[in-house]
Amino acid sequence: MSAFRVSAALAAGIAVLAGAPATAAEITGSLGSQTRLPVPRFVSLKSERVNARMGPTRDHQVIWIYQRAGLPVEVTAEFDNWRRIRDQDGTETWVFHSMLSGRRTGVVMPRGNPGELVPLMNRAGGDRIVARLEPKVQGTVRSCNGTWCRITGQGFDGWIEQTRLWGVYPNEKVE
C-alpha cells in the first residue's frame, strides 16, 4: 500500500473515530486512473436499462441488466472507459462509463426487521416525523452533514439518519 493511501486511510479513520464529517476523497484515499476522482465513490445509474458485464469490454458477457435509473452504485475500479461497480447487494460488475451519473442518490435501509419503516424527519435531528419510508425506497441525496442526510423523492422531502441510507459513506459530508 502506498504511503499516500496509508496516510489517507489513517486520516479517514481518525475523522470517523472523532465523529467529524469526511468527504469521499478523505474516506477513500485513492484516485481513479481515468477520472482522477475518488475510488471507491458513490454514483448513480443514468438509464432505465444498464448492461452489467463480467469484465471491462463489450466482448464480456452481460450477466445482469439493471432496470432502475437513479439506483446508487459504488465505483470500485476504473479501466479505460469502464467502471467496476458494486450494488447494494454486494454484486460487482462492469459498466460503460456513460451509463453512470455523478448525481447522488440513496436507498433506504432497515436496521433489523426487513419490513421496518424508517422515519423521515422535518430537519436534521428533527423533532417531527414527516413520513415513514419503506426499505429500498430511492431518493435524491440533497445534502449530508455527516450524521443526517436530506433526501427527496416522489412525495417526500426530509431528513434521514445517514446510517439508514445506502449510497453515502458513514460520516461523509455531501453538499
Side-chain angles (χ1 to χ4, degrees):
M1 183 179 272
S2 73
F4 171 76
R5 291 182 82 184
V6 169
S7 64
L10 285 172
I14 290 167
V16 169
L17 289 174
T23 64
E26 291 169 337
I27 290 166
T28 60
S30 63
L31 300 177
S33 61
Q34 303 300 306
T35 63
R36 307 304 299 158
L37 294 172
V39 173
R41 68 180 176 278
F42 281 105
V43 297
S44 58
L45 299 181
K46 193 183 281 188
S47 173
E48 285 290 333
R49 183 179 168 90
V50 176
N51 290 337
R53 298 178 181 274
M54 287 186 78
T57 69
R58 293 196 193 278
D59 294 334
H60 284 88
Q61 177 185 2
V62 173
I63 55 174
W64 188 257
I65 299 174
Y66 289 100
Q67 298 180 344
R68 192 172 178 187
L71 185 71
V73 293
E74 185 179 30
V75 173
T76 60
E78 298 181 354
F79 177 78
D80 197 24
N81 288 324
W82 294 86
R83 305 296 176 259
R84 186 175 64 205
I85 62 167
R86 179 179 14 241
D87 64 24
Q88 68 196 31
D89 297 322
T91 303
E92 287 195 273
T93 58
W94 289 87
V95 299
F96 199 67
H97 73 102
S98 64
M99 303 309 292
L100 301 174
S101 167
R103 186 173 141 244
R104 295 297 296 271
T105 61
V107 172
V108 174
M109 303 278 294
R111 279 207 179 112
N113 176 1
E116 171 190 9
L117 297 179
V118 178
L120 189 67
M121 307 305 285
N122 61 324
R123 58 185 167 79
D127 55 2
R128 185 171 49 88
I129 296 173
V130 297
R132 294 185 190 276
L133 303 177
E134 293 182 2
K136 298 196 177 186
V137 165
Q138 179 180 308
T140 299
V141 175
R142 300 294 179 190
S143 63
C144 295
N145 65 16
T147 307
W148 291 87
C149 292
R150 179 174 170 236
I151 63 167
T152 60
Q154 273 191 315
F156 65 90
D157 182 350
W159 292 81
I160 188 170
E161 288 180 83
Q162 194 156 334
T163 58
R164 305 304 291 270
L165 277 182
W166 196 87
V168 294
Y169 295 106
N171 298 316
E172 180 184 8
K173 189 174 182 180
V174 177
E175 297 176 351

